[in-house]
Amino acid sequence: MSLLDYTKALLNPTGLTGPSGLPLLPISIAHILALSFAAIYVGSLYVSNHTRLSFATDVDGKGVSAGVLQERERKANERWRDDPDVIRARLIAVSMASLTCCTAVEAIIATSTNATVLEVMNLTRKHLGFTLGSSLRPHLITPILFLGPLYATYLQQTLPFQKFWFPKQKFLNLIGLRTYTLGPLTEEIVFRACVLAPYHLAGCSPTKMVFLTPLSFGLAHAHHAWDTYNRYGRTRQAALKAVLGSTFQLIYTTLFGFHAAYLFLRTGSLLPAFSAHAFCNIMGFPEVAYEIRTWPHRKYLIILLYLLGIVGYVYTLPRWTETPGSIFWPSA
């Protein structure tokens, strides 16, 4: 690959092409790779006894009050998702899975081109979005969407430096490291960067990539249903909670996937998608009905800020993410 070809490759919105001008990968291979990356990530959570969860075989609703759906007491010989040793083992596992997927993307680029080692490294970095980005504005889009929930957080006095803000209890522990840092980072590396790269190499349009790829991210969360079913006593109610919870999680993680994929492709950087992911994990799912019931005297202001958040999101999303030179999205 000449320097001219290399420069064209970085600026080509339809991906790298071979000598015939066709995409380097067929779309069928891109599908297989995307599913493989998702399987590697989720599979890493069950690859060893240290990462796998274990539940007692004699539960069957014991320890759960009749008619009340509540989490049962954990038995001494069980391994639950929030156990410190489980979290540590899983963080190591998903970090290794992320490295494996990144290496696979680099190998695909290396074997599909005659580029030098340095060119392959640069192309891989670009395709994985390992850049700082050119602006802070993309990082502000998600908080704008959450104007309503942020106001409710202010009313709860749990914003940074307010009365009930406790960063040590929420962030500076293993659960915080998993939920707000390494979890979102490794998920965005795999389900955004590594999954989107093969589709870009296959010549998919940005629109197709935005709406085609997030489903794997949503489905990757389905395994939480087994955890919920066991923790809530293996009752019929527990099964219903697991199914409904996983369905809801599939929907909102897929919707978030559209948002994160758009941020990644428009900016050419993984950082806006990661910051959006971490922010959403911190905020949780918006609960406007609960907030209105809790602060009825602020009802109209809460509703107004929710609406302003939506309007602000629609306005800023295409404008604040435009990044000249992004290899994924041609400039207007």
Side-chain angles (χ1 to χ4, degrees):
M1 177 182 286
S2 67
L3 181 60
L4 178 61
D5 292 335
Y6 172 65
T7 304
K8 288 180 178 179
L10 289 180
L11 299 177
N12 180 12
T14 59
L16 293 169
T17 56
S20 62
L22 297 174
L24 290 179
L25 293 179
I27 190 65
S28 58
I29 298 299
H31 291 323
I32 292 172
L33 287 170
L35 291 174
S36 299
F37 293 153
I40 288 171
Y41 189 93
V42 176
S44 71
L45 301 177
Y46 299 93
V47 73
S48 74
N49 291 331
H50 298 291
T51 57
R52 283 194 294 269
L53 307 182
S54 64
F55 301 97
T57 58
D58 59 343
V59 175
D60 297 329
K62 294 178 182 179
V64 178
S65 302
V68 179
L69 186 60
Q70 63 182 23
E71 187 173 281
R72 63 176 176 83
E73 292 184 4
R74 177 188 178 280
K75 294 192 173 185
N77 62 337
E78 293 183 309
R79 294 171 56 81
W80 284 21
R81 182 171 179 265
D82 288 341
D83 292 352
D85 59 332
V86 173
I87 295 176
R88 278 190 287 265
R90 286 189 160 193
L91 288 179
I92 293 172
V94 296
S95 298
M96 296 302 297
S98 302
L99 180 60
T100 299
C101 294
C102 290
T103 303
V105 171
E106 184 174 38
I108 292 165
I109 293 175
T111 56
S112 302
T113 67
N114 60 348
T116 67
V117 173
L118 181 59
E119 289 169 344
V120 167
M121 291 175 62
N122 284 328
L123 284 170
T124 303
R125 180 179 61 84
K126 288 281 188 179
H127 279 78
L128 294 179
F130 292 167
T131 65
L132 293 177
S134 58
S135 173
L136 291 176
R137 292 190 302 175
H139 300 274
L140 302 177
I141 295 171
T142 309
I144 286 175
L145 176 63
F146 276 72
L147 281 179
L150 281 171
Y151 179 61
T153 305
Y154 165 77
L155 294 177
Q156 291 173 333
Q157 298 188 61
T158 53
L159 283 176
F161 308 111
Q162 284 190 295
K163 182 178 180 180
F164 300 112
W165 180 57
F166 296 111
K168 290 184 179 180
Q169 289 86 335
K170 189 168 185 177
F171 299 102
L172 303 181
N173 53 44
L174 279 173
I175 293 177
L177 180 65
R178 177 196 66 193
T179 307
Y180 309 121
T181 306
L182 277 183
L185 180 60
T186 56
E187 287 184 357
E188 290 307 312
I189 287 174
V190 173
F191 291 99
R192 230 62 62 198
C194 293
V195 166
L196 285 167
Y199 285 107
H200 181 62
L201 295 172
C204 274
S205 68
T207 302
K208 286 183 179 179
M209 286 191 282
V210 167
F211 292 105
L212 184 65
T213 59
L215 184 59
S216 64
F217 178 61
L219 290 173
H221 290 78
H223 67 101
H224 292 309
W226 176 245
D227 175 40
T228 301
Y229 175 64
N230 280 279
R231 286 188 296 106
Y232 282 82
R234 295 182 189 161
T235 62
R236 183 175 297 180
Q237 284 181 307
L240 180 60
K241 178 179 177 62
V243 171
L244 292 177
S246 291
T247 302
F248 179 68
Q249 194 172 36
L250 169 64
I251 293 171
Y252 79 72
T253 51
T254 300
L255 290 174
F256 172 79
F258 297 149
H259 172 62
Y262 186 90
L263 290 175
F264 177 84
L265 294 171
R266 286 279 289 179
T267 64
S269 173
L270 189 68
L271 290 180
F274 164 65
S275 68
H277 194 152
F279 179 83
C280 288
N281 282 5
I282 291 170
M283 295 299 298
F285 194 81
E287 297 181 279
V288 61
Y290 166 79
E291 293 160 5
I292 290 174
R293 288 196 308 269
T294 305
W295 299 283
H297 58 294
R298 304 292 178 91
K299 171 182 177 179
Y300 294 110
L301 183 54
I302 291 172
I303 293 173
L304 175 62
L305 287 172
Y306 266 87
L307 294 176
L308 286 176
I310 294 171
V311 172
Y313 174 77
V314 172
Y315 177 82
T316 60
L317 185 63
R319 292 169 176 82
W320 288 10
T321 56
E322 185 174 5
T323 306
S326 170
I327 66 170
F328 302 105
W329 203 293
S331 299

